[in-house]
Amino acid sequence: AQSVTQLGSHVSVSEGALVLLRCNYSSSVPPYLFWYVQYPNQGLQLLLKYTSAATLVKGINGFEAEFKKSETSFHLTKPSAHMSDAAEYFCAVGSSSASKIIFGSGTRLSIRP
Amino acid sequence: NAGVTQTPKFRVLKTGQSMTLLCAQDMNHEYMYWYRQDPGMGLRLIHYSVGEGTTAKGEVPDGYNVSRLKKQNFLLGLESAAPSQTSVYFCASRYSPQGGEQYFGPGTRLTVT
């Protein structure tokens, strides 16, 4: 069975500050991990994904995430927040043998001017 | 490519009425999914399909039916709408579980009064 936990339903940072959104997963098989972003009144779009290649994954809009097997984590980071980063972010886990992708409950990111 | 499209974008139903939501994808994806999104609850899987002519139950299937008569289309039906089905519904598709991410539609906002 697979599951994912996002720590913090709401994160607020100042413009220009580091963004850190936390995601921990549970999986009995090698996982595929995803981060999606959802802007208001839109569908989800892929930020980045890990599929067992490099453990540090770079995505769109300056985001990156690091797969840490020992910590079962896949935290999302961005060195400097922009106002346009305000959105909801979802971490998700899948595998090569699973038809479904399991989503976390989401973290709403707010950016303070 | 249009990607994943959903029809309609908005709908208001009275309790007991029925309706069908249409999802279409032009990417030749095998897998298709229907989710509902409610505040604070993330994405919950309603039904999914791993290929034309197949359907399977997800996490919250009660009150919904689906059909996948054509590979590119996945229909979600509400036979007798209830206020608890007020939600935003998202359709998604993916090529395969082998590292493939999901592509999401823009959503349908449904209100049941």
Side-chain angles (χ1 to χ4, degrees), chain B residues 10-106:
Chain B
F10 302 93
R11 186 73 186 266
V12 178
L13 286 180
K14 294 187 187 306
T15 298
Q17 288 184 320
S18 63
M19 78 163 295
T20 301
L21 282 67
L22 170 64
C23 176
Q25 53 92 6
D26 61 1
M27 297 173 283
N28 201 34
H29 286 172
E30 290 291 338
Y31 293 69
M32 297 187 74
Y33 306 82
W34 275 108
Y35 294 91
R36 60 178 289 173
Q37 185 177 32
D38 302 291
M41 303 190 75
L43 288 169
R44 292 185 290 169
L45 182 64
I46 304 171
H47 286 280
Y48 65 102
S49 169
V50 301
E52 181 178 316
T54 75
T55 63
K57 293 180 180 180
E59 183 185 357
V60 288
D62 293 343
Y64 305 94
N65 56 74
V66 288
S67 64
R68 184 102 180 266
L69 299 179
K70 293 183 179 181
K71 186 176 184 178
Q72 64 267 36
N73 294 338
F74 195 29
L75 278 62
L76 177 71
L78 287 74
E79 290 185 347
S80 179
S84 61
Q85 294 178 304
T86 293
S87 188
V88 181
Y89 292 86
F90 288 100
C91 177
S93 70
R94 70 195 292 217
Y95 183 68
S96 80
Q98 277 70 38
E101 66 269 28
Q102 289 183 332
Y103 292 79
F104 282 81

Side-chain angles (χ1 to χ4, degrees), chain A residues 32-107:
Chain A
Y32 296 149
L33 294 158
F34 309 86
W35 275 101
Y36 286 84
V37 60
Q38 183 182 31
Y39 298 104
N41 300 314
Q42 294 186 25
L44 280 71
Q45 61 184 96
L46 184 72
L47 268 180
L48 49 81
K49 66 178 181 180
Y50 166 78
T51 56
S52 78
T55 57
L56 182 62
V57 181
K58 295 188 184 300
I60 61 172
N61 301 338
F63 284 94
E64 63 181 37
E66 186 172 7
F67 171 69
K68 292 187 176 180
K69 184 177 179 180
S70 60
E71 299 177 8
T72 61
S73 69
F74 191 58
H75 301 332
L76 182 71
T77 60
K78 182 174 180 178
S80 176
H82 294 166
M83 296 299 291
S84 60
D85 294 328
E88 184 132 24
Y89 293 79
F90 292 91
C91 182
V93 62
S95 74
S96 62
S97 58
S99 301
K100 298 177 283 186
I101 293 179
I102 308 300
F103 284 83
S105 55
T107 297

